[in-house]
Amino acid sequence: MPTLPQYTQFDGSYWDTGSIRNALGYQGAIAPHTDEAYDEAMLLGISGGIAFGYFTFHYKGYDPQVNLLTRNTFDPMQRIFERLGIEVKLLRTASVERMRKNLIETLESGQAPIAKPDMYLLDYNCLEYDDANWATMPLVVFGYEPGGDASISDRSTQPLHVPAGSFDRAMSRVKKDRHGLMLLGEPDNERLPEAIRAGLRDTVNLMIEKPPKGSANNFGIKALQRWQKMLGGKGKGSWAKEYANGRACLAAHTSAYSFLTPAFGKSWGADRDSYADFLRQAADVLGENQLGEVAVLYDKAGKTWQNLFDALLPPDAALLGRARKVINHKAATFIDMGSKDLETIANCRDELASLMQLAEDDFPLDEDGMAKIRENLRECVALVEAAETRAVLALQEACATMDGD
């Protein structure tokens, strides 16, 4: 089986930054300020840093979804490549047979390629297949045998294995990423200081300025204010109107919780703790002690997010509390065990589906109970807004100081 026998990189937690971290780590790329591999916190900061985004989706035939962003999603991988001067060789082909050949030749040469297969077709994700749903997410391939297995590094601390046929189908499903492999060059460490500065400015801009595209009300501090309005109001788009009870209620609360937590590759501090780690490294690289002080504010902001998690799915609330346990157990099992315990992961998926049906058939919380949960959640979002505002204004001041040097 063509494989990378020395591959041991399973530290990446989130698709974009995690796959780059793991590929560079395998290649032996060393960050100049630590004499160790580039860690994911540094790559997060360089990619554009943290953010907040509030989006809701209601599609006929599907449960509603509340999608909450915690990090900058405007081309984060490309920002890392450009800012660190990483040359990317892209192998693209219309033929799955040629893709297999490219992959085997790459592995035999000792390189660890990044691929973007459809996650719905990778068995270890335990996702229900749907013709209308797909998502290509980056990961590292470190082994492949036609007719056997593909070996993958993808958000779990364990190596993942899927049938090669499943991997081939996943690589073939989405046209824009079809059969593509990315081979990374080495970072230009001399670019690190300016890469950091650019990432710092991105965080400030997306949190308090107009976003590169889309409505300003969907991003940053304004989005946190909008969320509070939707939680406290009763009109169109409000949680009282759209997600008051039943299946829609459980779907909204569980999707919001999942997008903010390790269930979607995030930290338990909504990535604010990771960003604080980046700021401390940035302070060392740039010689800017003020960034270390800002890091403390982001650590505090991360703790307010943890309180918000308790408000989204209160542990003691009927149905909501059980859903929280199942989501957490599914995520922890995948991170710790990977494809070694697919039965538990699948059981968690099935139990969540059963809870959705239970919410539809016999929702256990009355109107007053849900009103109190929404009000408590609104108050927690207000505390998050206050902490985020303090942190980003301090970061803005630090950036202005650096720009004035």
Short mmCIF file of all heavy atoms in Angstrom, two decimals, residues 52-117:
data_model
loop_
_atom_site.label_atom_id
_atom_site.label_comp_id
_atom_site.label_asym_id
_atom_site.label_seq_id
_atom_site.Cartn_x
_atom_site.Cartn_y
_atom_site.Cartn_z
N PHE A 52 -17.48 36.71 14.09
CA PHE A 52 -18.78 36.16 14.45
C PHE A 52 -19.70 36.37 13.26
O PHE A 52 -19.72 37.44 12.65
CB PHE A 52 -19.39 36.80 15.69
CG PHE A 52 -20.76 36.24 16.00
CD1 PHE A 52 -20.89 34.94 16.45
CD2 PHE A 52 -21.92 36.99 15.77
CE1 PHE A 52 -22.15 34.39 16.68
CE2 PHE A 52 -23.17 36.45 16.01
CZ PHE A 52 -23.28 35.14 16.47
N GLY A 53 -20.44 35.33 12.93
CA GLY A 53 -21.42 35.43 11.86
C GLY A 53 -22.72 34.79 12.29
O GLY A 53 -22.71 33.74 12.95
N TYR A 54 -23.84 35.40 11.94
CA TYR A 54 -25.17 34.89 12.30
C TYR A 54 -25.97 34.69 11.02
O TYR A 54 -26.27 35.64 10.30
CB TYR A 54 -25.89 35.89 13.21
CG TYR A 54 -27.30 35.49 13.59
CD1 TYR A 54 -27.52 34.66 14.69
CD2 TYR A 54 -28.41 35.93 12.86
CE1 TYR A 54 -28.81 34.29 15.05
CE2 TYR A 54 -29.70 35.56 13.21
CZ TYR A 54 -29.89 34.75 14.31
OH TYR A 54 -31.17 34.37 14.66
N PHE A 55 -26.30 33.42 10.73
CA PHE A 55 -27.05 33.09 9.53
C PHE A 55 -28.11 32.04 9.87
O PHE A 55 -27.85 31.12 10.64
CB PHE A 55 -26.13 32.52 8.44
CG PHE A 55 -25.07 33.48 7.98
CD1 PHE A 55 -23.85 33.55 8.64
CD2 PHE A 55 -25.29 34.32 6.90
CE1 PHE A 55 -22.86 34.43 8.23
CE2 PHE A 55 -24.32 35.21 6.48
CZ PHE A 55 -23.10 35.27 7.15
N THR A 56 -29.27 32.19 9.28
CA THR A 56 -30.32 31.19 9.45
C THR A 56 -30.75 30.69 8.08
O THR A 56 -30.76 31.44 7.10
CB THR A 56 -31.54 31.76 10.20
OG1 THR A 56 -32.07 32.87 9.45
CG2 THR A 56 -31.14 32.23 11.59
N PHE A 57 -31.11 29.40 8.02
CA PHE A 57 -31.50 28.79 6.76
C PHE A 57 -32.78 27.98 6.97
O PHE A 57 -32.86 27.17 7.89
CB PHE A 57 -30.40 27.88 6.23
CG PHE A 57 -29.10 28.60 5.96
CD1 PHE A 57 -28.10 28.65 6.93
CD2 PHE A 57 -28.91 29.26 4.76
CE1 PHE A 57 -26.93 29.33 6.69
CE2 PHE A 57 -27.73 29.95 4.51
CZ PHE A 57 -26.73 29.98 5.48
N HIS A 58 -33.75 28.20 6.09
CA HIS A 58 -35.01 27.47 6.12
C HIS A 58 -35.28 26.94 4.70
O HIS A 58 -35.71 27.70 3.84
CB HIS A 58 -36.18 28.37 6.57
CG HIS A 58 -35.98 28.97 7.93
ND1 HIS A 58 -36.24 30.30 8.19
CD2 HIS A 58 -35.54 28.44 9.09
CE1 HIS A 58 -35.97 30.55 9.47
NE2 HIS A 58 -35.54 29.44 10.03
N TYR A 59 -35.02 25.68 4.50
CA TYR A 59 -35.26 25.06 3.20
C TYR A 59 -36.38 24.04 3.31
O TYR A 59 -36.41 23.26 4.27
CB TYR A 59 -34.00 24.38 2.68
CG TYR A 59 -32.86 25.33 2.40
CD1 TYR A 59 -31.65 25.22 3.08
CD2 TYR A 59 -33.00 26.34 1.45
CE1 TYR A 59 -30.60 26.09 2.82
CE2 TYR A 59 -31.95 27.22 1.19
CZ TYR A 59 -30.75 27.09 1.87
OH TYR A 59 -29.73 27.95 1.61
N LYS A 60 -37.27 24.05 2.33
CA LYS A 60 -38.40 23.14 2.34
C LYS A 60 -37.91 21.69 2.38
O LYS A 60 -37.05 21.29 1.62
CB LYS A 60 -39.26 23.37 1.09
CG LYS A 60 -40.54 22.54 1.08
CD LYS A 60 -41.39 22.86 -0.14
CE LYS A 60 -42.67 22.03 -0.14
NZ LYS A 60 -43.51 22.34 -1.34
N GLY A 61 -38.50 20.93 3.30
CA GLY A 61 -38.13 19.53 3.43
C GLY A 61 -36.99 19.27 4.38
O GLY A 61 -36.60 18.11 4.59
N TYR A 62 -36.42 20.34 4.98
CA TYR A 62 -35.29 20.20 5.90
C TYR A 62 -35.56 20.96 7.19
O TYR A 62 -36.32 21.94 7.21
CB TYR A 62 -34.00 20.73 5.27
CG TYR A 62 -33.56 19.97 4.05
CD1 TYR A 62 -34.02 20.34 2.78
CD2 TYR A 62 -32.70 18.88 4.15
CE1 TYR A 62 -33.62 19.64 1.65
CE2 TYR A 62 -32.30 18.18 3.03
CZ TYR A 62 -32.76 18.56 1.79
OH TYR A 62 -32.37 17.87 0.66
N ASP A 63 -34.94 20.49 8.26
CA ASP A 63 -35.03 21.23 9.52
C ASP A 63 -34.33 22.58 9.38
O ASP A 63 -33.33 22.70 8.66
CB ASP A 63 -34.36 20.44 10.65
CG ASP A 63 -35.13 19.18 11.02
OD1 ASP A 63 -36.37 19.24 11.04
OD2 ASP A 63 -34.48 18.14 11.27
N PRO A 64 -34.84 23.61 10.06
CA PRO A 64 -34.15 24.90 10.02
C PRO A 64 -32.77 24.79 10.65
O PRO A 64 -32.50 23.89 11.46
CB PRO A 64 -35.07 25.81 10.84
CG PRO A 64 -35.83 24.89 11.72
CD PRO A 64 -36.02 23.63 10.94
N GLN A 65 -31.91 25.71 10.26
CA GLN A 65 -30.54 25.68 10.77
C GLN A 65 -30.10 27.08 11.14
O GLN A 65 -30.33 28.03 10.39
CB GLN A 65 -29.62 25.10 9.69
CG GLN A 65 -28.17 24.92 10.14
CD GLN A 65 -27.34 24.31 9.04
OE1 GLN A 65 -26.69 25.00 8.26
NE2 GLN A 65 -27.35 22.99 8.97
N VAL A 66 -29.46 27.20 12.30
CA VAL A 66 -28.82 28.44 12.71
C VAL A 66 -27.32 28.22 12.62
O VAL A 66 -26.75 27.43 13.37
CB VAL A 66 -29.23 28.85 14.14
CG1 VAL A 66 -28.50 30.13 14.55
CG2 VAL A 66 -30.74 29.04 14.23
N ASN A 67 -26.69 28.89 11.69
CA ASN A 67 -25.27 28.71 11.42
C ASN A 67 -24.51 29.89 12.02
O ASN A 67 -24.67 31.03 11.57
CB ASN A 67 -25.04 28.63 9.90
CG ASN A 67 -23.61 28.28 9.53
OD1 ASN A 67 -22.69 28.57 10.29
ND2 ASN A 67 -23.44 27.68 8.37
N LEU A 68 -23.68 29.62 13.01
CA LEU A 68 -22.92 30.65 13.71
C LEU A 68 -21.43 30.49 13.42
O LEU A 68 -20.86 29.43 13.68
CB LEU A 68 -23.18 30.59 15.21
CG LEU A 68 -24.65 30.68 15.64
CD1 LEU A 68 -24.77 30.56 17.15
CD2 LEU A 68 -25.27 31.99 15.16
N LEU A 69 -20.81 31.53 12.88
CA LEU A 69 -19.39 31.49 12.56
C LEU A 69 -18.57 32.00 13.74
O LEU A 69 -18.97 32.96 14.41
CB LEU A 69 -19.09 32.37 11.34
CG LEU A 69 -19.93 32.15 10.08
CD1 LEU A 69 -19.44 33.07 8.97
CD2 LEU A 69 -19.89 30.69 9.65
N THR A 70 -17.42 31.38 13.97
CA THR A 70 -16.52 31.85 15.03
C THR A 70 -15.19 32.33 14.47
O THR A 70 -14.38 32.89 15.20
CB THR A 70 -16.22 30.73 16.03
OG1 THR A 70 -15.50 29.67 15.37
CG2 THR A 70 -17.49 30.17 16.64
N ARG A 71 -14.95 32.10 13.18
CA ARG A 71 -13.67 32.46 12.57
C ARG A 71 -13.89 33.03 11.18
O ARG A 71 -14.95 32.86 10.59
CB ARG A 71 -12.74 31.25 12.51
CG ARG A 71 -13.36 30.01 11.88
CD ARG A 71 -12.35 28.90 11.71
NE ARG A 71 -11.81 28.41 12.97
CZ ARG A 71 -10.65 27.79 13.09
NH1 ARG A 71 -9.90 27.58 12.04
NH2 ARG A 71 -10.23 27.36 14.26
N ASN A 72 -12.89 33.72 10.67
CA ASN A 72 -12.96 34.34 9.37
C ASN A 72 -13.03 33.24 8.30
O ASN A 72 -12.15 32.38 8.21
CB ASN A 72 -11.72 35.21 9.14
CG ASN A 72 -11.87 36.15 7.95
OD1 ASN A 72 -12.37 35.77 6.91
ND2 ASN A 72 -11.41 37.37 8.13
N THR A 73 -14.07 33.26 7.49
CA THR A 73 -14.27 32.23 6.47
C THR A 73 -14.05 32.74 5.05
O THR A 73 -14.39 32.05 4.09
CB THR A 73 -15.69 31.64 6.59
OG1 THR A 73 -16.65 32.68 6.43
CG2 THR A 73 -15.89 30.96 7.93
N PHE A 74 -13.48 33.92 4.89
CA PHE A 74 -13.22 34.47 3.57
C PHE A 74 -11.86 33.99 3.06
O PHE A 74 -10.82 34.59 3.35
CB PHE A 74 -13.28 36.01 3.61
CG PHE A 74 -14.66 36.55 3.83
CD1 PHE A 74 -15.06 36.98 5.08
CD2 PHE A 74 -15.58 36.61 2.78
CE1 PHE A 74 -16.35 37.48 5.29
CE2 PHE A 74 -16.86 37.11 2.98
CZ PHE A 74 -17.25 37.54 4.23
N ASP A 75 -11.85 32.84 2.38
CA ASP A 75 -10.65 32.26 1.76
C ASP A 75 -9.50 32.10 2.76
O ASP A 75 -8.37 32.55 2.50
CB ASP A 75 -10.18 33.11 0.58
CG ASP A 75 -11.22 33.18 -0.52
OD1 ASP A 75 -11.83 32.14 -0.82
OD2 ASP A 75 -11.43 34.29 -1.07
N PRO A 76 -9.73 31.45 3.88
CA PRO A 76 -8.67 31.34 4.89
C PRO A 76 -7.44 30.58 4.42
O PRO A 76 -6.31 30.98 4.75
CB PRO A 76 -9.36 30.62 6.05
CG PRO A 76 -10.52 29.90 5.43
CD PRO A 76 -10.97 30.78 4.31
N MET A 77 -7.63 29.50 3.65
CA MET A 77 -6.46 28.75 3.19
C MET A 77 -5.61 29.59 2.25
O MET A 77 -4.37 29.64 2.37
CB MET A 77 -6.89 27.45 2.51
CG MET A 77 -7.58 26.48 3.43
SD MET A 77 -7.95 24.89 2.63
CE MET A 77 -6.34 24.10 2.70
N GLN A 78 -6.26 30.28 1.31
CA GLN A 78 -5.52 31.10 0.36
C GLN A 78 -4.78 32.23 1.06
O GLN A 78 -3.65 32.58 0.67
CB GLN A 78 -6.47 31.66 -0.70
CG GLN A 78 -5.78 32.32 -1.88
CD GLN A 78 -4.88 31.36 -2.64
OE1 GLN A 78 -5.16 30.16 -2.72
NE2 GLN A 78 -3.80 31.88 -3.17
N ARG A 79 -5.38 32.78 2.10
CA ARG A 79 -4.70 33.84 2.86
C ARG A 79 -3.43 33.31 3.50
O ARG A 79 -2.38 33.98 3.50
CB ARG A 79 -5.63 34.40 3.94
CG ARG A 79 -6.78 35.26 3.41
CD ARG A 79 -7.74 35.61 4.54
NE ARG A 79 -8.92 36.30 4.05
CZ ARG A 79 -9.18 37.58 4.25
NH1 ARG A 79 -8.32 38.33 4.91
NH2 ARG A 79 -10.29 38.11 3.79
N ILE A 80 -3.49 32.11 4.06
CA ILE A 80 -2.30 31.52 4.68
C ILE A 80 -1.22 31.30 3.63
O ILE A 80 -0.05 31.65 3.83
CB ILE A 80 -2.66 30.19 5.37
CG1 ILE A 80 -3.56 30.45 6.58
CG2 ILE A 80 -1.38 29.46 5.82
CD1 ILE A 80 -4.11 29.17 7.21
N PHE A 81 -1.60 30.72 2.49
CA PHE A 81 -0.62 30.44 1.44
C PHE A 81 0.06 31.72 0.96
O PHE A 81 1.28 31.78 0.84
CB PHE A 81 -1.30 29.74 0.26
CG PHE A 81 -1.89 28.39 0.59
CD1 PHE A 81 -3.02 27.94 -0.08
CD2 PHE A 81 -1.34 27.59 1.58
CE1 PHE A 81 -3.57 26.70 0.21
CE2 PHE A 81 -1.88 26.35 1.88
CZ PHE A 81 -3.00 25.91 1.19
N GLU A 82 -0.75 32.75 0.69
CA GLU A 82 -0.20 33.99 0.16
C GLU A 82 0.65 34.70 1.20
O GLU A 82 1.74 35.21 0.89
CB GLU A 82 -1.33 34.89 -0.33
CG GLU A 82 -2.03 34.36 -1.58
CD GLU A 82 -3.19 35.24 -2.00
OE1 GLU A 82 -3.50 36.21 -1.27
OE2 GLU A 82 -3.80 34.94 -3.05
N ARG A 83 0.16 34.76 2.43
CA ARG A 83 0.86 35.55 3.44
C ARG A 83 2.16 34.90 3.90
O ARG A 83 3.11 35.61 4.26
CB ARG A 83 -0.09 35.80 4.62
CG ARG A 83 -1.18 36.79 4.25
CD ARG A 83 -2.27 36.93 5.28
NE ARG A 83 -3.21 37.96 4.85
CZ ARG A 83 -4.33 38.26 5.47
NH1 ARG A 83 -4.69 37.58 6.57
NH2 ARG A 83 -5.13 39.20 5.00
N LEU A 84 2.22 33.58 3.88
CA LEU A 84 3.45 32.90 4.28
C LEU A 84 4.29 32.49 3.07
O LEU A 84 5.31 31.83 3.22
CB LEU A 84 3.12 31.66 5.12
CG LEU A 84 2.69 31.92 6.56
CD1 LEU A 84 2.37 30.62 7.26
CD2 LEU A 84 3.76 32.70 7.33
N GLY A 85 3.87 32.89 1.88
CA GLY A 85 4.65 32.58 0.70
C GLY A 85 4.76 31.10 0.41
O GLY A 85 5.78 30.63 -0.10
N ILE A 86 3.71 30.35 0.73
CA ILE A 86 3.71 28.90 0.50
C ILE A 86 3.29 28.62 -0.94
O ILE A 86 2.16 28.92 -1.34
CB ILE A 86 2.76 28.18 1.47
CG1 ILE A 86 3.20 28.40 2.91
CG2 ILE A 86 2.69 26.69 1.16
CD1 ILE A 86 2.21 27.87 3.95
N GLU A 87 4.19 28.07 -1.73
CA GLU A 87 3.85 27.70 -3.10
C GLU A 87 2.97 26.46 -3.08
O GLU A 87 3.28 25.48 -2.38
CB GLU A 87 5.11 27.43 -3.91
CG GLU A 87 4.84 27.10 -5.36
CD GLU A 87 6.11 26.87 -6.17
OE1 GLU A 87 7.20 27.12 -5.63
OE2 GLU A 87 6.00 26.43 -7.33
N VAL A 88 1.88 26.49 -3.82
CA VAL A 88 0.95 25.37 -3.87
C VAL A 88 0.92 24.80 -5.28
O VAL A 88 0.63 25.52 -6.25
CB VAL A 88 -0.47 25.81 -3.46
CG1 VAL A 88 -1.43 24.62 -3.52
CG2 VAL A 88 -0.46 26.41 -2.06
N LYS A 89 1.23 23.53 -5.39
CA LYS A 89 1.12 22.83 -6.66
C LYS A 89 -0.22 22.11 -6.68
O LYS A 89 -0.47 21.25 -5.85
CB LYS A 89 2.26 21.84 -6.85
CG LYS A 89 2.23 21.11 -8.19
CD LYS A 89 3.42 20.16 -8.33
CE LYS A 89 3.38 19.46 -9.68
NZ LYS A 89 4.53 18.52 -9.82
N LEU A 90 -1.07 22.48 -7.61
CA LEU A 90 -2.41 21.89 -7.69
C LEU A 90 -2.46 20.87 -8.82
O LEU A 90 -2.21 21.20 -9.98
CB LEU A 90 -3.45 22.98 -7.92
CG LEU A 90 -4.91 22.53 -8.03
CD1 LEU A 90 -5.36 21.83 -6.75
CD2 LEU A 90 -5.81 23.72 -8.34
N LEU A 91 -2.76 19.63 -8.45
CA LEU A 91 -2.94 18.58 -9.44
C LEU A 91 -4.43 18.38 -9.67
O LEU A 91 -5.15 17.96 -8.77
CB LEU A 91 -2.31 17.27 -8.93
CG LEU A 91 -0.83 17.31 -8.56
CD1 LEU A 91 -0.37 15.95 -8.06
CD2 LEU A 91 0.01 17.76 -9.74
N ARG A 92 -4.89 18.71 -10.89
CA ARG A 92 -6.31 18.57 -11.23
C ARG A 92 -6.44 17.69 -12.46
O ARG A 92 -5.61 17.75 -13.37
CB ARG A 92 -6.94 19.94 -11.51
CG ARG A 92 -7.08 20.84 -10.32
CD ARG A 92 -8.12 20.32 -9.33
NE ARG A 92 -9.42 20.15 -9.92
CZ ARG A 92 -10.34 21.10 -10.00
NH1 ARG A 92 -10.08 22.32 -9.55
NH2 ARG A 92 -11.53 20.85 -10.52
N THR A 93 -7.50 16.91 -12.51
CA THR A 93 -7.75 16.05 -13.65
C THR A 93 -9.24 15.74 -13.72
O THR A 93 -9.92 15.73 -12.69
CB THR A 93 -6.94 14.75 -13.56
OG1 THR A 93 -7.31 13.87 -14.64
CG2 THR A 93 -7.20 14.03 -12.24
N ALA A 94 -9.73 15.49 -14.91
CA ALA A 94 -11.14 15.11 -15.07
C ALA A 94 -11.36 13.63 -14.85
O ALA A 94 -12.49 13.17 -14.76
CB ALA A 94 -11.62 15.50 -16.47
N SER A 95 -10.28 12.89 -14.73
CA SER A 95 -10.35 11.43 -14.68
C SER A 95 -10.05 10.90 -13.28
O SER A 95 -9.03 11.26 -12.68
CB SER A 95 -9.35 10.83 -15.66
OG SER A 95 -9.11 9.47 -15.41
N VAL A 96 -10.93 10.04 -12.75
CA VAL A 96 -10.66 9.43 -11.46
C VAL A 96 -9.45 8.50 -11.54
O VAL A 96 -8.70 8.38 -10.56
CB VAL A 96 -11.91 8.68 -10.93
CG1 VAL A 96 -12.21 7.45 -11.78
CG2 VAL A 96 -11.74 8.29 -9.47
N GLU A 97 -9.24 7.88 -12.69
CA GLU A 97 -8.08 7.02 -12.85
C GLU A 97 -6.79 7.83 -12.74
O GLU A 97 -5.82 7.41 -12.10
CB GLU A 97 -8.11 6.28 -14.20
CG GLU A 97 -9.20 5.23 -14.31
CD GLU A 97 -10.57 5.81 -14.60
OE1 GLU A 97 -10.64 7.02 -14.95
OE2 GLU A 97 -11.57 5.07 -14.50
N ARG A 98 -6.78 9.00 -13.37
CA ARG A 98 -5.61 9.86 -13.28
C ARG A 98 -5.43 10.39 -11.86
O ARG A 98 -4.30 10.55 -11.39
CB ARG A 98 -5.74 11.02 -14.27
CG ARG A 98 -4.52 11.95 -14.29
CD ARG A 98 -3.27 11.24 -14.74
NE ARG A 98 -2.07 12.02 -14.43
CZ ARG A 98 -0.83 11.62 -14.64
NH1 ARG A 98 -0.62 10.43 -15.19
NH2 ARG A 98 0.18 12.38 -14.34
N MET A 99 -6.53 10.67 -11.20
CA MET A 99 -6.44 11.11 -9.80
C MET A 99 -5.75 10.04 -8.95
O MET A 99 -4.89 10.35 -8.14
CB MET A 99 -7.83 11.42 -9.25
CG MET A 99 -7.85 11.97 -7.82
SD MET A 99 -7.87 10.71 -6.51
CE MET A 99 -9.49 9.99 -6.74
N ARG A 100 -6.14 8.79 -9.14
CA ARG A 100 -5.50 7.71 -8.39
C ARG A 100 -4.00 7.68 -8.67
O ARG A 100 -3.19 7.53 -7.76
CB ARG A 100 -6.12 6.37 -8.77
CG ARG A 100 -7.56 6.17 -8.37
CD ARG A 100 -7.96 4.71 -8.58
NE ARG A 100 -9.40 4.53 -8.49
CZ ARG A 100 -10.20 4.33 -9.54
NH1 ARG A 100 -9.68 4.29 -10.77
NH2 ARG A 100 -11.49 4.18 -9.38
N LYS A 101 -3.63 7.81 -9.94
CA LYS A 101 -2.22 7.81 -10.31
C LYS A 101 -1.48 8.97 -9.67
O LYS A 101 -0.38 8.81 -9.12
CB LYS A 101 -2.09 7.87 -11.84
CG LYS A 101 -0.67 7.67 -12.36
CD LYS A 101 -0.68 7.59 -13.88
CE LYS A 101 0.70 7.23 -14.43
NZ LYS A 101 1.68 8.28 -14.18
N ASN A 102 -2.07 10.17 -9.72
CA ASN A 102 -1.45 11.33 -9.08
C ASN A 102 -1.25 11.11 -7.59
O ASN A 102 -0.20 11.45 -7.02
CB ASN A 102 -2.32 12.57 -9.30
CG ASN A 102 -2.28 13.09 -10.72
OD1 ASN A 102 -1.37 12.78 -11.48
ND2 ASN A 102 -3.27 13.90 -11.07
N LEU A 103 -2.27 10.55 -6.94
CA LEU A 103 -2.21 10.33 -5.51
C LEU A 103 -1.13 9.31 -5.16
O LEU A 103 -0.33 9.52 -4.23
CB LEU A 103 -3.58 9.87 -5.00
CG LEU A 103 -3.72 9.61 -3.50
CD1 LEU A 103 -3.23 10.80 -2.68
CD2 LEU A 103 -5.18 9.29 -3.16
N ILE A 104 -1.09 8.22 -5.88
CA ILE A 104 -0.08 7.19 -5.60
C ILE A 104 1.33 7.73 -5.84
O ILE A 104 2.24 7.52 -5.01
CB ILE A 104 -0.36 5.95 -6.47
CG1 ILE A 104 -1.63 5.25 -5.99
CG2 ILE A 104 0.82 4.98 -6.43
CD1 ILE A 104 -2.13 4.16 -6.91
N GLU A 105 1.53 8.44 -6.95
CA GLU A 105 2.85 9.00 -7.23
C GLU A 105 3.27 10.01 -6.17
O GLU A 105 4.44 10.08 -5.77
CB GLU A 105 2.86 9.64 -8.62
CG GLU A 105 2.78 8.64 -9.76
CD GLU A 105 2.70 9.30 -11.12
OE1 GLU A 105 2.56 10.56 -11.17
OE2 GLU A 105 2.79 8.59 -12.13
N THR A 106 2.31 10.79 -5.71
CA THR A 106 2.61 11.78 -4.67
C THR A 106 3.05 11.10 -3.38
O THR A 106 4.05 11.49 -2.75
CB THR A 106 1.37 12.66 -4.40
OG1 THR A 106 1.05 13.40 -5.58
CG2 THR A 106 1.62 13.62 -3.25
N LEU A 107 2.31 10.08 -2.96
CA LEU A 107 2.66 9.36 -1.74
C LEU A 107 4.00 8.64 -1.89
O LEU A 107 4.82 8.63 -0.95
CB LEU A 107 1.55 8.37 -1.39
CG LEU A 107 0.21 8.99 -0.98
CD1 LEU A 107 -0.87 7.92 -0.91
CD2 LEU A 107 0.32 9.72 0.34
N GLU A 108 4.24 8.06 -3.03
CA GLU A 108 5.51 7.35 -3.25
C GLU A 108 6.70 8.30 -3.25
O GLU A 108 7.83 7.91 -2.92
CB GLU A 108 5.45 6.56 -4.55
CG GLU A 108 4.54 5.34 -4.47
CD GLU A 108 4.45 4.57 -5.78
OE1 GLU A 108 4.77 5.18 -6.83
OE2 GLU A 108 4.05 3.40 -5.75
N SER A 109 6.44 9.59 -3.57
CA SER A 109 7.51 10.59 -3.53
C SER A 109 7.74 11.12 -2.13
O SER A 109 8.66 11.92 -1.90
CB SER A 109 7.17 11.74 -4.48
OG SER A 109 6.14 12.57 -3.94
N GLY A 110 6.89 10.69 -1.17
CA GLY A 110 7.07 11.12 0.21
C GLY A 110 6.34 12.38 0.59
O GLY A 110 6.58 12.94 1.67
N GLN A 111 5.41 12.85 -0.24
CA GLN A 111 4.66 14.07 0.05
C GLN A 111 3.29 13.74 0.63
O GLN A 111 2.71 12.68 0.35
CB GLN A 111 4.50 14.90 -1.22
CG GLN A 111 5.80 15.46 -1.76
CD GLN A 111 5.59 16.22 -3.05
OE1 GLN A 111 5.46 15.63 -4.12
NE2 GLN A 111 5.57 17.55 -2.95
N ALA A 112 2.76 14.67 1.43
CA ALA A 112 1.45 14.51 2.06
C ALA A 112 0.48 15.48 1.41
O ALA A 112 0.47 16.67 1.74
CB ALA A 112 1.53 14.77 3.56
N PRO A 113 -0.36 15.03 0.47
CA PRO A 113 -1.25 15.94 -0.24
C PRO A 113 -2.48 16.31 0.58
O PRO A 113 -2.97 15.52 1.40
CB PRO A 113 -1.65 15.14 -1.48
CG PRO A 113 -1.62 13.72 -1.01
CD PRO A 113 -0.48 13.64 -0.03
N ILE A 114 -2.99 17.51 0.33
CA ILE A 114 -4.28 17.94 0.87
C ILE A 114 -5.33 17.72 -0.23
O ILE A 114 -5.12 18.10 -1.39
CB ILE A 114 -4.26 19.41 1.29
CG1 ILE A 114 -3.32 19.60 2.48
CG2 ILE A 114 -5.67 19.90 1.64
CD1 ILE A 114 -3.17 21.05 2.92
N ALA A 115 -6.42 17.08 0.12
CA ALA A 115 -7.52 16.82 -0.81
C ALA A 115 -8.80 17.43 -0.26
O ALA A 115 -8.89 17.74 0.94
CB ALA A 115 -7.69 15.32 -1.04
N LYS A 116 -9.80 17.59 -1.13
CA LYS A 116 -11.10 18.12 -0.71
C LYS A 116 -12.23 17.20 -1.18
O LYS A 116 -12.98 17.53 -2.10
CB LYS A 116 -11.30 19.54 -1.26
CG LYS A 116 -10.45 20.60 -0.60
CD LYS A 116 -10.85 21.98 -1.11
CE LYS A 116 -10.11 23.09 -0.39
NZ LYS A 116 -10.54 24.42 -0.87
N PRO A 117 -12.38 16.05 -0.55
CA PRO A 117 -13.50 15.17 -0.90
C PRO A 117 -14.80 15.65 -0.25
O PRO A 117 -14.78 16.45 0.69
CB PRO A 117 -13.07 13.83 -0.33
CG PRO A 117 -12.20 14.19 0.84
CD PRO A 117 -11.50 15.47 0.46
#
